[in-house]
């Protein structure tokens, strides 16, 4: 079985080719004539498309099926029954999408007889293809490597690994310690006789070269770049990630995990939900920026008239896997006040009159729609925390970095419950609850709650202004 990128190419090419062949076959005039002799299909007209119409319908079908099969393009070890079940599930989703497209738009519709004949054919050929090329579980157990930055921890977790342990990756710098006087070159042995396969920068090459099934993380101190970089590589290459139970303070682990080594939830979203979430983010941000454009112009003018300072302010926030990005908000304080040390009394005195209204109605956060549109944020997720404040919260709150597993959001479970960073423990609890429970429909529910809450705050502000 080809692994890594070769598997991806083979799986995509197979889906495209087999789908195209199946569409061509079921649109053959002879095949459709024979099919209509069956009493069940007799009422369906045998009218196979031809020329440009056939080409168009072929492309639509191939694009839909290939897109729906995205979860199966990752090289993961699967049993035969698992491969068949997953492939058939995706075929049914693809047929449902094609039927839905046809229901709403005749231009893209496949003839009913074509859909009826195509469904059982794809239910057979595509599962067979994925069984043929599937990544087979190793007969000697999972092929595992250990990735870490501390040799003592590497030795500790290595003794708990079941199956085939291929070696470990660690920075060269950690090999020269008072206890280990000489550095070991790539390919040398250390850490209880386990072979060193290279430094952390080689993780992607090693995952493909050694056909790795599982990576065990052995970091004494989880580093933003290295620790989450290793998780990112596991996610990208469809490799399982595990960690020792005693070192789970910096990772999000499966709540049902048992044993010494527990799995890390590096992919909490189903790919279909992920696509829906991103599409929802784009539509929500685009519509929001267009509909609120008069409000945006009015707020900008009010801020300028108020004190003549800049309309927006920028602040660095922490995103998924610990990366940083710049967030934009309407300025609600005197110029330079936003970047000052946040002391409550001084902060309140620096808020402008316009700023008080913007904060009370949450209108100061409208520019964050741009961050959502470009992909730095999502509509729903843990609140993006100021990078400097993030360091303080990491030091004070155990497991704070678990929030890095998803994009920060404009709203979220903690936000709709009015929980802020001043209560980090409760905020973390709700953020992790969202990460474990997240789904597209849960996002819709939270967005609805936030919109209702914002409208309530806006009406309350208008009521107070009228009474004055």
């Amino acid at each position: 079985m080809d692994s890594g990128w070769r598997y991806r190419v083979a799986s995509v090419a197979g889906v495209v080719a087999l789908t195209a062949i199946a569409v061509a076959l079921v649109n053959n005039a002879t095949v459709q004539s024979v099919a209509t002799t069956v009493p069940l299909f007799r009422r369906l007209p045998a009218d196979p498309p031809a020329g440009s119409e056939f080409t168009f319908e072929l492309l639509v079908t191939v694009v839909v099926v290939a897109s729906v099969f995205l979860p199966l393009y990752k090289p993961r070890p699967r049993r035969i029954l698992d491969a068949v079940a997953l492939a058939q599930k995706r075929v049914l989703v693809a047929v449902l999408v094609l039927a839905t497209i046809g229901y709403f738009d005749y231009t893209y519709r496949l003839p009913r007889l074509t859909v009826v004949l195509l469904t059982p054919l794809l239910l057979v050929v595509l599962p067979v293809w994925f069984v043929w090329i599937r990544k087979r579980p190793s007969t000697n157990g999972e092929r595992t490597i250990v990735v870490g930055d501390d040799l003592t921890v590497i030795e500790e977790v290595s003794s708990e690994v079941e199956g085939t342990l291929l070696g470990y990756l660690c920075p060269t710098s950690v090999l020269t310690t008072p206890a280990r006087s000489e550095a070991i070159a790539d390919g040398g042995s250390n850490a209880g006789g386990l072979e060193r396969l290279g430094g952390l920068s080689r993780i992607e090459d090693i995952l493909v070269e050694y056909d790795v099934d599982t990576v065990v993380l052995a970091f004494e101190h989880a580093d933003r770049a290295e620790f989450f970089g290793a998780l990112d590589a596991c996610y990208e290459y469809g490799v399982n990630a595990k960690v020792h139970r005693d070192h789970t303070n910096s990772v999000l682990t499966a709540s049902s995990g048992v044993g010494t080594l527990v799995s890390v939830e590096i992919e909490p979203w189903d790919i279909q939900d992920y696509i829906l979430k991103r599409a929802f983010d784009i539509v929500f941000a685009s519509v929001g920026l267009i509909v609120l454009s008069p409000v945006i112009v009015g707020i900008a003018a009010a801020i300028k008239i108020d004190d003549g300072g800049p309309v927006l302010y920028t602040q660095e926030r922490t995103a998924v896997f610990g990366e940083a990005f710049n967030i934009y908000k309407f300025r609600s304080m005197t110029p330079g006040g936003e970047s000052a040390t946040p002391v409550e009394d001084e902060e309140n005195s620096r808020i402008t009159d316009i700023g008080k209204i913007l904060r009370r109605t949450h209108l100061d956060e409208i520019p964050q729609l741009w961050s959502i549109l470009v992909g730095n944020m999502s509509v729903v997720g843990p609140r993006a925390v100021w990078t400097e404040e993030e360091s303080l919260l990491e030091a004070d709150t155990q497991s704070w970095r678990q929030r890095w597993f998803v994009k920060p959001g404009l709203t979220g479970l903690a936000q709709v419950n009015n929980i802020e960073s001043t209560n980090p423990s409760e905020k973390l609890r709700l953020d992790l609850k969202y990460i474990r429970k997240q789904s597209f429909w849960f996002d819709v529910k939270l967005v609805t709650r936030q919109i209702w809450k914002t409208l309530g705050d806006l009406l309350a502000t208008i009521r107070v202004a009228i009474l004055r």
Side-chain angles (χ1 to χ4, degrees):
M1 200 286 303
D2 287 332
S3 62
W5 65 269
R6 289 188 294 272
Y7 174 87
R8 295 169 187 262
V9 171
S11 58
V12 174
V15 170
V16 171
L18 291 172
T19 302
I21 293 171
V23 172
L25 181 62
V26 300
N27 278 294
N28 180 272
T30 303
V31 171
Q32 293 205 358
S33 296
V34 172
T36 52
T37 61
V38 178
L40 184 64
F41 303 147
R42 191 168 295 165
R43 297 180 61 183
L44 299 177
D47 184 25
S52 59
E53 184 181 356
F54 169 75
T55 302
F56 192 73
E57 292 182 357
L58 174 66
L59 291 175
V60 170
T61 306
V62 168
V63 169
V64 169
V65 175
S67 301
V68 168
F69 268 77
L70 279 173
L72 274 73
Y73 299 151
K74 288 189 176 183
R76 291 182 173 175
R78 293 188 175 99
R79 297 173 300 171
I80 292 178
L81 290 179
D82 291 336
V84 171
L86 288 171
Q88 290 186 337
K89 175 184 175 182
R90 296 301 165 182
V91 169
L92 294 176
V93 172
V95 171
L96 179 61
V97 171
L98 290 171
T100 304
I101 292 174
Y103 178 81
F104 286 104
D105 193 334
Y106 179 85
T107 308
Y108 303 99
R109 188 174 70 186
L110 272 68
R112 287 179 293 171
L113 185 58
T114 298
V115 176
V116 169
L117 297 178
L118 184 66
T119 302
L121 188 56
L122 292 182
L123 282 172
V124 173
V125 297
L126 291 182
V128 168
W129 175 250
F130 279 97
V131 168
W132 180 261
I133 68 168
R134 83 187 194 282
K135 183 178 173 65
R136 295 157 176 82
S138 172
T139 56
N140 297 320
E142 293 185 339
R143 297 169 62 82
T144 304
I145 63 171
V146 180
V147 178
D149 61 359
D150 186 279
L151 293 176
T152 302
V153 180
I154 289 173
E155 291 178 353
E156 180 183 356
V157 300
S158 297
S159 62
E160 301 294 339
V161 173
E162 297 180 358
T164 305
L165 184 55
L166 304 173
Y168 72 96
L169 299 177
C170 76
T172 303
S173 59
V174 306
L175 296 175
T176 304
T177 64
R180 306 175 188 270
S181 58
E182 60 179 7
I184 307 298
D186 287 359
S189 294
N190 205 347
L194 190 63
E195 181 181 7
R196 179 172 182 258
L197 303 176
L200 298 181
S201 61
R202 293 203 62 213
I203 184 170
E204 294 188 2
D205 295 333
I206 295 298
L207 293 180
V208 175
E209 181 181 346
Y210 287 82
D211 195 15
V212 175
D213 299 313
T214 302
V215 170
V216 178
L217 302 172
F219 289 83
E220 177 65 21
H221 302 289
D223 174 83
R224 285 190 181 185
E226 295 175 347
F227 178 77
F228 285 93
L231 287 177
D232 194 25
C234 292
Y235 173 82
E236 179 66 24
Y237 286 84
V239 175
N240 297 323
K242 292 186 177 182
V243 68
H244 196 287
R245 263 191 198 282
D246 294 341
H247 304 284
T248 58
N249 61 318
S250 296
V251 295
L252 183 65
T253 56
S255 57
S256 59
V258 296
T260 305
L261 298 179
V262 292
S263 297
V264 180
E265 295 284 7
I266 58 175
E267 191 179 13
W269 281 85
D270 177 85
I271 189 66
Q272 307 302 326
D273 265 345
Y274 180 84
I275 292 173
L276 280 174
K277 182 180 178 71
R278 182 58 188 146
F280 178 75
D281 287 347
I282 294 172
V283 172
F284 185 93
S286 301
V287 172
L289 288 171
I290 293 172
V291 172
L292 295 174
S293 55
V295 178
I296 293 172
V297 172
I299 292 174
I303 293 174
K304 274 294 183 182
I305 293 172
D306 186 41
D307 60 13
V311 172
L312 301 175
Y313 86 92
T314 304
Q315 193 177 66
E316 189 178 71
R317 299 288 178 96
T318 302
V320 66
F321 286 145
E323 297 178 359
F325 73 102
N326 288 326
I327 199 173
Y328 301 94
K329 298 180 72 173
F330 282 124
R331 182 174 58 83
S332 58
M333 293 186 181
T334 56
E338 296 88 355
S339 59
T341 303
V343 179
E344 186 174 357
D345 292 339
E346 295 181 7
E347 180 180 1
N348 292 333
S349 66
R350 293 195 299 266
I351 299 176
T352 63
D353 292 337
I354 296 296
K356 292 176 182 178
I357 297 175
L358 293 178
R359 289 192 172 196
R360 193 177 301 125
T361 58
H362 310 287
L363 294 177
D364 60 323
E365 298 186 356
I366 291 178
Q368 293 182 49
L369 292 173
W370 176 254
S371 297
I372 295 172
L373 187 63
V374 299
N376 291 327
M377 290 178 59
S378 181
V379 176
V380 183
R383 189 175 188 85
V385 177
W386 183 25
T387 302
E388 294 184 21
E389 183 184 8
E390 183 95 16
S391 301
L392 299 175
L393 292 170
E394 288 175 41
D396 293 341
T397 310
Q398 189 179 26
S399 304
W400 182 260
R401 289 183 179 178
Q402 293 180 10
R403 302 170 70 256
W404 292 355
F405 280 80
V406 296
K407 286 183 181 180
L410 183 63
T411 187
L413 191 58
Q415 293 93 304
V416 297
N417 285 284
N418 297 317
I419 304 301
E420 300 181 353
S421 299
T422 51
N423 187 358
S425 298
E426 181 63 13
K427 178 176 177 58
L428 177 62
R429 186 186 70 82
L430 291 176
D431 286 341
L432 296 185
K433 180 179 179 180
Y434 166 75
I435 293 173
R436 291 192 173 97
K437 189 178 178 181
Q438 63 183 314
S439 69
F440 175 72
W441 295 112
F442 189 45
D443 278 12
V444 172
K445 179 180 178 181
L446 290 175
V447 169
T448 303
R449 286 181 60 185
Q450 183 62 61
I451 292 175
W452 185 259
K453 181 176 180 295
T454 300
L455 289 175
D457 292 340
L458 181 60
L459 290 175
T461 302
I462 294 174
R463 189 181 300 112
V464 170
I466 293 175
L467 292 176
R468 286 181 180 178

